[in-house]
Amino acid sequence: MPEADQDNNSHLAMKTFKELVLAIIKAIPRGKVMSYGQIAAYAGSPRAARQVGQILRNTDGDSKLPWWRVINSQGVITIKGNWYSNAELQKKLLEREHIKVSQDFIVPMATFRWTPSSTQLEQIIA
DNA sequence: ACCCTGACTTGGC
DNA sequence: GGCCAAGCCAGGG
């Protein structure tokens, strides 16, 4: 579709950034992880990694969302003393699906990073 | 419309 | 490897 695309396709029921982010996270397979920036990029905004974190914070409680499969680009589980952060739980959930997590909450990204195929991506974004 | 806030990332020491 | 400063941009007030 070389012509009517870009910004003028409001008739195509565009998903918001937030909807895309949630769809992508739900699609992460068991035993795999993605970084905030990676998710933002697939959602169409490569520099919006922080928003992914913000969305996760606000959607805490949605059990259908595999939030524990989202970590930062360094493979580090974000540790905060806040009510919304539970590094121990996240580590446990990751290990439950055979993802290695070091004592200092670091996951080897090179091994466990998920990269969706273009086909998978199409289905997610659709 | 403007201002502020960050579950982030990257580049430079 | 670690720490710091700057850039980023969607959401909410």
Side-chain angles (χ1 to χ4, degrees), chain A residues 34-37 70-78 107 109 113:
Chain A
M34 285 182 96
S35 74
Y36 299 91
V70 182
I71 57 186
N72 79 14
S73 67
Q74 309 304 306
V76 182
I77 291 176
T78 303
V107 174
M109 284 300 279
R113 179 195 300 279

Side-chain angles (χ1 to χ4, degrees), chain A residues 85-100:
Chain A
S85 180
N86 192 333
E88 288 292 349
L89 173 60
Q90 186 163 5
K91 183 171 184 289
K92 187 188 286 184
L93 288 169
L94 287 171
E95 290 174 332
R96 196 174 67 181
E97 38 195 75
H98 309 117
I99 292 174
K100 292 179 188 172

Side-chain angles (χ1 to χ4, degrees), chain A residues 22-92:
Chain A
L22 293 176
I24 292 168
I25 294 176
K26 285 182 182 175
I28 303 175
R30 235 183 97 85
K32 292 293 181 180
V33 296
M34 285 182 96
S35 74
Y36 299 91
Q38 204 186 348
I39 292 167
Y42 285 121
S45 189
R47 312 289 183 130
R50 306 183 70 154
Q51 281 59 247
V52 175
Q54 185 171 256
I55 290 167
L56 276 180
R57 187 187 53 175
N58 294 328
T59 54
D60 192 49
D62 183 352
S63 58
K64 302 196 187 321
L65 198 67
W67 55 269
W68 60 90
R69 296 183 186 134
V70 182
I71 57 186
N72 79 14
S73 67
Q74 309 304 306
V76 182
I77 291 176
T78 303
I79 303 170
K80 301 278 183 180
N82 302 323
W83 55 271
Y84 53 75
S85 180
N86 192 333
E88 288 292 349
L89 173 60
Q90 186 163 5
K91 183 171 184 289
K92 187 188 286 184

Side-chain angles (χ1 to χ4, degrees), chain A residues 109-125:
Chain A
M109 284 300 279
T111 305
F112 297 102
R113 179 195 300 279
W114 183 52
T115 304
S117 68
S118 54
T119 305
Q120 292 172 313
L121 205 52
E122 269 183 47
Q123 297 185 329
I124 294 170
I125 295 177

